[in-house]
Amino acid sequence: MFGKWKAWIGASPPRSLAIGFALIIAVGTVLLKLPVAVRSGIDLSWLNAAFTAASATCVTGLVVVDTGTAFTPFGQGVILALVQVGGLGFMTVGTVFAFFLRRKVSLRERLILQESLNQGNLEGIVRLVRKVILYALTIEAAGSLLFALRFMEDMNPGKALLYGLFHGVSVFNNAGFDLFGEFRSLSAYVTDPFVNLLSIVLIILGSLGFVVLADLVDYPIRRRLSLHSKVALSMTLLLTVGGAILILLFEYTNEKTLGPLGPGSQALAALLHSVSPRSAGVSTLDLSSFRQATQFLLIWLMFIGASPGSTGGGIKTTTFAVLTLAVLAVVRGRSDIVIFRSRLERDRVYKAITVTLFSLALVIVVTMVLSITENHTFMEVLFEVTSAFTTSGLSLGLTQDLSGPGRILIMAMMFFGRVGPLTLFYAIGPKPGRPLYRYAEGKIIIG
């Protein structure tokens, strides 16, 4: 019987990937329930422990209990470890141990790594994992040190080093967890250019994807970028600048958000909140005080998300680019989709449409259900569901008020978003087979 279950689990990389993430969440839940993980007087239920573990493993940042005040240093360390494993991928972390033990990475493990890192083929997958670990640890170490140096101005050196490490890892992995208490995130540093700029840089580096980072590191030698990197970088720049401009336009007269700030602080806050929705979960302003137009803009930015192979979620920047280019091609009456003098294959378009419709359907269905179970406005519910599915971690204040069924649904959305809707479909669905025949072509009227 055990052999059959083992064969079923290992039958496909997507299934192994989904089950692996579920097991990590289960282990994290048990660790967070230990008395040593929570502070005296805090009664952490199993559901809240599971929610926190899921949020950390899925690098989301939605929290039902405050990380800084509810958990001990041990509990915070568990959360940070879950964030690291969730951000890099458990197979990536497992491969590191294989390197240390000088054990060869098997073909099955390479296939799971390929699925985890969203790569098209197995060529150079182990070499890419080495780069992932090197880049991630280097960036996290630099970010942690810089955060610690800044925090030493506000707290003792020991505490500053711990806070620096926690936030360096959390921000780079686009996790959104913080230790400042009272669900404040980085609101105390809204006018601090150092903290804002450092956060923006770490978020962008974490959301670009490790393939893009490798391309950028090799650029001085190779003097060229892959098509994927060009599209990811272009869309990141467009969404970052465009989002910041729109946030400034919508909020600069809002006395509850950007209004009281100076021009420089307004620009920094707008830029941070343009970058953060695409999976980071960091904020320096009260999002519930934003105008509805801005909140809806943040929903769209969250839905698009980060780039493939990164620590972020969403339908991904490249998916959005392919959909946009497909629409433009149809409007112009062209049959080919061309970008940077390269023609895209039709299967890329079909996959982009499938990912988007699957994601949109999940968000719509869960939003309708939570609109019934939760006593909150539609905008708050839609924002929460989108944030959970895209592993963004931003909230309008609904997370702490969620009912039991609501918390379970949001946990499921975080899991779907981290693993990926297509990966889950392949994990639980039957193995697709190649059809032996084609039907005659038919025509329907569109539009």
Side-chain angles (χ1 to χ4, degrees), residues 19 202 210 219 229 346:
I19 293 174
L202 288 176
F210 294 105
Y219 182 76
S229 295
R346 289 188 179 273

Side-chain angles (χ1 to χ4, degrees), residues 70-130:
F71 295 100
T72 63
F74 173 82
Q76 293 165 0
V78 170
I79 292 172
L80 194 64
L82 293 175
V83 166
Q84 186 72 89
V85 173
L88 298 182
F90 72 92
M91 277 306 301
T92 302
V93 176
T95 305
V96 175
F97 289 102
F99 291 158
F100 281 120
L101 296 174
R102 298 186 180 277
R103 184 176 66 82
K104 188 176 180 181
V105 181
S106 68
L107 176 61
R108 177 175 171 271
E109 290 168 339
R110 290 170 189 257
L111 289 170
I112 300 174
L113 281 169
Q114 177 189 356
E115 184 72 30
S116 176
L117 295 172
N118 203 12
Q119 296 300 294
N121 55 64
L122 286 174
E123 184 180 355
I125 194 70
V126 175
R127 186 166 61 252
L128 176 60
V129 169
R130 289 193 178 99

